[in-house]
Amino acid sequence: MALKINKYHFEFQELDSLEDLTSEDAFLLSEARKTTAIAYAPYSNFKVGAYAQLASGAFVAGSNQENASYPVGVCAERALLASVGQLFPNEPINTMAISYHNLNSNSSNRPLSPCGMCRQAIQEYETRVNQPIRLILSGMEGKVFIIEKASLLLPLSFNGDDLK
Ligand code: THU
């Protein structure tokens, strides 16, 4: 029995700051940063903002909405996807910028890493509309990561095909 080693190769862009982005991307990130202000995060004090541009050009925002019963809370990315699903069903999302303001810390300067549940939800939307979603990840300042396809963040994923 032969052992096979599979490798997963993943590349993403790293930029020093918002100033290095195109004006379109800089706008999305700047709006994601602003959207952190409308997060409802009295329990974690970790306010997340997401801001997306759809293929039609429309913009949709999302922020985390927490609950005293902690697991009831929803992340910014999934709040955004729920809005897109209701307001613009099946419309592709070109790019989603995500930022956070951590009120527990005096710096929010490292790119945000979306949680596993959101990676799964974002991937579902990519599959649903058959178009990858570009991600722009950052904090309130500092470095920016750009990932061409959100599903790159979820190798060996579970998806609808597994249910067939
Ligand atoms: N959170 C998000 O909204 N998105 C992420 O990608 C990571 C975590 C929220 C969930 C919770 O309200 C708070 O951040 C702390 O985990």
Side-chain angles (χ1 to χ4, degrees):
M1 197 173 70
L3 169 70
K4 191 174 166 205
I5 305 293
N6 296 309
K7 286 189 185 165
Y8 180 69
H9 182 75
F10 166 59
E11 280 179 14
F12 62 101
Q13 293 174 35
E14 178 178 323
L15 300 104
D16 282 340
S17 77
L18 177 143
E19 322 295 314
D20 299 322
L21 300 177
T22 63
S23 57
E24 290 86 357
D25 285 352
F27 171 75
L28 295 177
L29 176 54
S30 154
E31 291 301 309
R33 286 175 174 170
K34 283 188 209 160
T35 302
T36 62
I38 58 168
Y40 175 67
Y43 304 104
S44 71
N45 288 316
F46 189 86
K47 302 180 101 184
V48 184
Y51 199 83
Q53 180 158 36
L54 310 188
S56 64
F59 298 104
V60 177
S63 61
N64 53 333
Q65 302 292 317
E66 297 187 346
N67 192 284
S69 174
Y70 291 4
V72 177
V74 66
C75 291
E77 298 89 325
R78 280 175 297 123
L80 184 152
L81 290 174
S83 293
V84 173
Q86 301 304 318
L87 299 171
F88 303 99
N90 298 318
E91 208 174 283
I93 298 171
N94 286 353
T95 303
M96 187 191 302
I98 315 167
S99 185
Y100 68 93
H101 187 184
N102 184 359
L103 303 176
N104 306 302
S105 167
N106 49 23
S107 65
S108 298
N109 57 7
R110 284 178 298 155
L112 173 132
S113 207
C115 84
M117 201 185 273
C118 288
R119 293 178 195 208
Q120 182 77 22
I122 294 168
Q123 179 201 249
E124 182 81 23
Y125 201 81
E126 290 184 326
T127 311
R128 171 175 167 180
V129 302
N130 194 27
Q131 187 189 291
I133 298 176
R134 217 169 134 256
L135 295 181
I136 300 173
L137 307 175
S138 191
M140 295 304 277
E141 57 187 358
K143 280 185 179 165
V144 182
F145 292 164
I146 298 183
I147 297 164
E148 288 304 325
K149 299 174 184 198
S151 53
L152 291 171
L153 289 177
L154 203 60
L156 284 182
S157 64
F158 181 79
N159 60 53
D161 288 341
D162 294 309
L163 298 172
K164 287 177 184 161

